[in-house]
Amino acid sequence: MTLNFDPALVRKSLNGSLNPHPAASRARLSDPFSLRDQPVADAFVMLTAPLASEAFRQMESVAERPDVDLLEQLRSTLRRLRALWWAFEPLLDEKTGRVVRKRFKRLADIAGEPHEFDAACALLSHADKDCARLDPVLRRLRQQRREASAMSCVTLRKAQLDVLLRRALADARRRLEARGEDRTLEAFARQRVSLADDLLSKREHRAAKLKRVDAKTLHSIEEAATKLQCLLELFAPVLERGHRHTTAHLLAAQAALVRLHDVLASETVLRRVAPVLNDKNAVDEAVRWLNKAARDESRAAAKRLRSLPHLV
C-alpha cells in the first residue's frame, strides 16, 4: 500500500518540529495513559472517533461554501483516516481494508484537486517573472482552480462520507474484536513504528551507496518517510521518545523531497489542462521550465539525503 506524500503536512511538521505529542492530539486525547493500556480494538475506536467527527464538521463547512482552505483541511483529515486504517492493517481484513483506503484516497484526491492547482500556480509564477509567455498558462490554471473548487464540493456532498465512515468503523471494530487481540495499543504501536523506522533506514543507506540517486529511489525514501511520519503522528499519545530515527532526522529526509514533489505534481496538473489551451508554445515553455526545476530539485534532494548524519 502506498501512502500519498503530502507536502502540506510535512511543512506543518517542519514548522512545528513534529512534536511527539502535538496539541491536536492532546486536544483529542486528554488522557494518553488510559489509551496506552487499552485493548487494540477499543483504542482503534478512540483514535478514529475524533477524526471522524472532524471530517463530518469539515464536510458541513465545505457544503456551505467552496473554499480551497476548507477543502485542504478535509483532505488532510481524510488522509489521516486512511493512514489509520493502514496503521492497523495487520489486524484488519485485508480486502475490506483495501477498499476503505481506496475510498478515502479518492475523496482526499477530490478535496485536494484545487490545492494542486494552487501549487502549480505558485511555481509557475516564479518562472513567469522571466518568461511572459507563461501568462496564458497561469490564467488557465487559476480559472481551473476556481472550477475545481466548485466541482469538488458538489462531488463530496454526493459521496455520503458519513455513511462510509460509520460502516467502515463498525466493520473494523467487528474484525478487531473477533481476532481477540490481547496486545495493548502501546505494544502494537511500538512494533509498527519500529518496522517503519527500519524500512526508512535501509532505504536511506541503500541510496547513500549509489553513485546516482534516481527518481525511483527518491520515491521509495519518500514513501518510507511518509509511512513513519503517519505512524508517529497517529500513535503520538502512547509513544515514548528514543526511536533510532530521531524526529529531526525524519523531517530532514522529508524536507529534501517536498520541493521535488511540488514540481512533479505541477507538471501533472499542467498536462491535464494543456489540451484546452490553444497556445502550444506557452505549454512547451512551462514544461521545459518544470523539467529543469525537477532535475535541479532531484539533485538537491539526493545531496541532502547523503548529507544526513547517520549516512556519513
Side-chain angles (χ1 to χ4, degrees), residues 4-11 72 75-76 79 226 229 261:
N4 281 8
F5 183 60
D6 191 346
L9 288 180
V10 176
R11 289 194 188 91
E72 183 62 15
R75 176 171 75 155
S76 177
R79 283 183 163 176
T226 303
Q229 180 198 4
H261 181 277

Side-chain angles (χ1 to χ4, degrees), residues 66-116:
D67 181 82
V68 175
D69 291 335
L70 291 175
L71 286 166
E72 183 62 15
Q73 291 170 20
L74 177 60
R75 176 171 75 155
S76 177
T77 302
L78 288 167
R79 283 183 163 176
R80 288 172 185 273
L81 281 165
R82 182 173 178 240
L84 189 55
W85 255 259
W86 169 76
F88 283 83
E89 182 181 47
L91 306 179
L92 299 174
D93 178 73
E94 184 179 350
K95 183 178 179 181
T96 303
R98 190 184 306 119
V99 171
V100 170
R101 292 198 306 270
K102 283 183 178 179
R103 289 177 179 171
F104 283 145
K105 180 184 184 303
R106 178 169 126 1
L107 294 176
D109 288 346
I110 292 170
E113 190 169 340
H115 177 75
E116 299 296 334

Side-chain angles (χ1 to χ4, degrees), residues 14 17-18 28-29 48 76 116 125 139 230 235 242 250 273 283 303:
L14 287 167
S17 299
L18 195 65
R28 291 194 295 265
L29 299 162
T48 306
S76 177
E116 299 296 334
S125 292
R139 284 198 300 271
C230 286
F235 294 136
L250 171 61
V273 303
V283 172
K303 182 178 179 180

Side-chain angles (χ1 to χ4, degrees), residues 8 85 102 116 141 181 222 227 232-233 243 274 290 306 308:
W85 255 259
K102 283 183 178 179
E116 299 296 334
L141 286 171
E181 178 67 44
E222 165 194 308
K227 286 182 176 181
L232 287 173
E233 290 186 346
H243 299 291
L290 288 172
R306 284 197 176 103
L308 293 178

Side-chain angles (χ1 to χ4, degrees), residues 195-206:
L195 290 172
D197 194 358
D198 288 343
L199 178 65
L200 179 56
S201 292
K202 289 175 182 176
R203 291 185 179 180
E204 286 182 341
H205 279 294
R206 192 180 303 129

Side-chain angles (χ1 to χ4, degrees), residues 286-302:
V287 169
R288 278 194 295 272
W289 189 88
L290 288 172
N291 284 339
K292 181 182 181 302
R295 290 192 298 271
D296 292 344
E297 295 301 338
S298 181
R299 285 193 292 268

